[in-house]
Amino acid sequence: MDKKKMVQLDRMFNPRGLAFFGGISTPGAFGNLIALSQILYGYKGSLYPVSPKGGEIAGNRIYKSLDEVNGPVDLACVSVPAKAVPEVLQDCLVHGVTGAQVHASGFAETGKKEGIELQAEIVRIARQGLRIVGPNCFGLHSPKGGITILPGSDFSKESGPVALISQSGGMATDFGYEAQSAGMRLSKVISFGNGCDVDAVELMVFMGADSDTQYIAAYLEGVRNGGRFLEAIKQASRIKPVVVWKAGLSPLGQRAAQSHTGSLAGELNIWKGVLAQAGASSVQGLDEMIDALTALHYLKNPGSRIAVVGGGGAIGVFSCDLASRWGMDLPRFSDTTRRNLRRHFPTPGNSMANPLDTGSPVVPVETLKASIREIVLNEPVDIVVVVLLARPLEVEVRRFMEMVGVDSPPAGAYFEQLLGELKDIKQETGKDIVVVIENRSGLQEEIDVDATARKMRSLYQSMGFPVFTSAERALRGISHAVARTRFLENYDSRHDRDRR
């Protein structure tokens, strides 16, 4: 991608002026909501709602045409009906607007002649110099630029390292909330819909070169030029992790993708293979995408040797199965370590191997701390996964204490005390520690447990600990970080051989 196009895209993500077309004065219309969303999010540049009717919206003047606008416009938000889109875009082109995000649908994704011809017309306008995102999209989100998609007015205003390229607008908004819950801030999000002009290839190149972006995620239903796209991934993945969810990989999924964004999809095994060769993590579903990014974001030295502490026997056995499936190892602890651990768990009903089955889901913090220190100081493990079961800690313990007339501690007290100990261990040893806060209580009367689990997740993440809601999700996320480590090692090894 040439320098001019890079500059244009950067201006669209960081616009000096925003123009709005379509439904500005109609409460509930998409154009009205888009404009209000930018105002609520706190856009600091110049706002130019445009409608022949004039008037105002939320205290901002509505201009009757672009002729009345004096300042530069770097992004136009176009929400008029499909048939009216070319005229608006042509007007933007004439007035020197940098780019436009076209929210309207009714183009090539319909499969109908009229929609296909309309899309071809806006492609012709794009070729004259106006960059176009869409049509059939939610558009751009950029905390640094002060702009957001809809709904996204309550996304974090703090810029971060994670970017998303998405054909789906709904997926883009879901990702924004999920990333926020995982403690990850966003650099840029773009829902590009049909991608008639700005497409997946160009966006991958742009995000790969973007200094604000350290991790790239992508949700794709189809790619027009698979070879160029994979080459763009190869270039990006050498310097930053790339996570790709390629949807529409079954006959039914392909049919849905065609009707959603007019995309041709592909087959699962082919895509998984080529993405792996390109250095990207291949995921299926939003949960796995978030898990992969969480592990990549938080883990500093992800290796394949894992220790699992707590959670019970079934979780431990399943963890072994999952580690084996995903190419990791839970090495058996040495005889010395097992003898030392046994001092903390002298009674039957537990296992001192790896995983460490503590028997009871409620272990004194000091005991858990001593056990984890024993493992990280004396065993050749790269990552320790600590599994905490929220319901026993927050419901059962309290219930039993009340039965014997003992005051129960405040909600989350155990988690907070353990956090301090884990911070000390991590600082002392430099080992990665992953935390699982699992809550299997779905009872209405125990809703406070879920609130506590969420609060503790946020607290742990703020201290640099990745938190997952199950051991399965934790190990799955770790597997992607381990695969990234192996890719970089192999890449460096190949280049060393080439230099020789």
Side-chain angles (χ1 to χ4, degrees):
M1 182 167 56
D2 63 42
K3 184 177 179 180
K4 179 181 178 182
K5 289 183 176 180
M6 293 286 286
V7 170
Q8 286 176 309
L9 276 176
D10 185 68
R11 282 192 175 180
M12 291 168 70
F13 278 108
N14 300 280
R16 294 165 294 179
L18 276 177
F20 302 90
F21 300 86
I24 304 298
S25 303
T26 306
F30 201 89
N32 173 262
L33 296 176
I34 282 286
L36 292 175
S37 186
Q38 307 306 323
I39 295 168
L40 186 58
Y41 190 68
Y43 174 66
K44 302 300 183 184
S46 300
L47 289 167
Y48 302 114
V50 178
S51 170
K53 298 177 182 179
E56 67 172 42
I57 176 173
N60 292 271
R61 172 189 172 186
I62 297 177
Y63 297 79
K64 293 186 177 181
S65 74
L66 280 176
D67 291 332
E68 297 182 350
V69 173
N70 293 321
V73 177
D74 291 320
L75 182 62
C77 305
V78 182
S79 305
V80 299
K83 289 183 180 180
V85 167
E87 182 181 353
V88 172
L89 294 179
Q90 190 65 48
D91 194 33
C92 289
L93 183 65
V94 169
H95 284 85
V97 175
T98 302
Q101 52 184 23
V102 179
H103 307 296
S105 56
F107 294 87
E109 80 281 358
T110 65
K112 296 179 180 179
K113 181 181 178 182
E114 182 182 20
I116 294 170
E117 289 177 347
L118 274 175
Q119 185 158 313
E121 189 172 350
I122 64 175
V123 169
R124 285 192 291 272
I125 296 171
R127 287 173 180 165
Q128 297 176 59
L130 177 70
R131 302 314 314 275
I132 297 174
V133 173
N136 184 30
C137 75
F138 279 14
L140 288 71
H141 168 79
S142 169
K144 186 176 179 180
I147 60 171
T148 193
I149 56 178
L150 176 73
S153 59
D154 53 355
F155 282 2
S156 174
K157 296 176 177 63
E158 181 183 348
S159 188
V162 180
L164 173 70
I165 300 165
S166 176
Q167 277 187 275
S168 165
M171 220 297 290
T173 57
D174 290 345
F175 178 89
Y177 292 118
E178 289 286 342
Q180 199 162 300
S181 296
M184 295 182 289
R185 296 291 180 255
L186 305 172
S187 59
K188 295 172 177 68
V189 172
I190 180 166
S191 155
F192 67 95
N194 294 8
C196 76
D197 175 34
V198 177
D199 62 7
V201 175
E202 193 167 4
L203 290 168
M204 184 60 67
V205 172
F206 177 80
M207 296 302 182
D210 180 36
S211 60
D212 295 328
T213 296
Q214 298 174 29
Y215 308 88
I216 305 171
Y219 168 80
L220 303 169
E221 294 173 3
V223 180
R224 286 198 299 269
N225 191 321
R228 286 181 57 221
F229 181 65
L230 290 170
E231 184 58 35
I233 290 179
K234 283 182 182 179
Q235 295 299 322
S237 66
R238 292 170 186 171
I239 55 176
K240 57 188 74 173
V242 178
V243 178
V244 179
W245 173 11
K246 179 64 180 66
L249 297 176
S250 67
L252 289 176
Q254 291 171 17
R255 187 176 70 190
Q258 178 65 29
S259 63
H260 184 207
T261 55
S263 298
L264 296 176
E267 295 186 7
L268 176 60
N269 290 335
I270 295 174
W271 270 99
K272 287 182 69 174
V274 295
L275 287 172
Q277 290 177 9
S281 294
S282 176
V283 301
Q284 285 294 295
L286 180 56
D287 286 349
E288 187 176 5
M289 176 179 278
I290 293 295
D291 293 342
L293 288 166
T294 298
L296 288 162
H297 175 62
Y298 285 96
L299 300 180
K300 304 307 177 187
N301 301 293
S304 62
R305 299 169 300 180
I306 314 297
V308 176
V309 177
I315 291 176
V317 173
F318 190 35
S319 295
C320 291
D321 290 342
L322 293 171
S324 178
R325 179 191 306 171
W326 291 324
M328 298 179 293
D329 184 29
L330 270 69
R332 184 176 176 82
F333 297 149
S334 68
D335 291 343
T336 301
T337 295
R338 283 185 283 126
R339 281 196 301 270
N340 291 339
L341 289 172
R342 178 57 67 189
R343 296 172 187 169
H344 304 297
F345 304 95
T347 59
N350 43 47
S351 171
M352 299 301 102
N354 185 15
L356 171 60
D357 176 5
T358 58
S360 168
V362 182
V363 178
V365 168
E366 285 299 322
T367 301
L368 197 56
K369 170 192 175 183
S371 301
I372 296 169
R373 285 191 81 257
E374 177 71 31
I375 293 167
V376 298
L377 289 175
N378 298 307
E379 290 297 313
V381 295
D382 303 303
I383 301 170
V384 177
V385 179
V386 182
V387 183
L388 305 173
L389 306 182
R391 189 182 185 279
L393 289 167
E394 293 297 316
V395 176
E396 301 295 346
V397 170
R398 294 173 181 280
R399 184 176 295 159
F400 296 147
M401 293 178 75
E402 290 169 2
M403 288 176 66
V404 296
V406 177
D407 292 336
S408 58
Y414 183 96
F415 294 96
E416 292 187 19
Q417 184 183 352
L418 179 62
L419 174 60
E421 305 296 352
L422 293 181
K423 283 171 57 182
D424 290 343
I425 294 172
K426 184 177 178 180
Q427 184 173 2
E428 177 186 356
T429 66
K431 289 288 180 71
D432 281 317
I433 299 176
V434 170
V435 178
V436 173
I437 300 179
E438 182 173 301
N439 176 31
R440 295 297 181 182
S441 174
L443 301 176
Q444 178 65 32
E445 58 268 27
E446 294 177 1
I447 194 169
D448 288 348
V449 179
D450 188 59
T452 299
R454 290 172 182 266
K455 182 179 178 182
M456 292 302 108
R457 179 188 184 190
S458 179
L459 179 62
Y460 272 67
Q461 287 167 169
S462 71
M463 295 292 108
F465 292 92
V467 180
F468 298 86
T469 57
S470 71
E472 179 179 6
R473 293 189 64 173
L475 288 169
R476 181 173 63 182
I478 292 169
S479 72
H480 287 288
V482 171
R484 172 70 180 169
T485 298
R486 289 171 176 161
F487 167 76
L488 292 176
E489 289 173 348
N490 291 335
Y491 178 80
D492 290 341
S493 177
R494 289 195 304 270
H495 276 253
D496 285 342
R497 289 197 300 269
D498 293 341
R499 283 192 290 268
R500 296 191 195 114

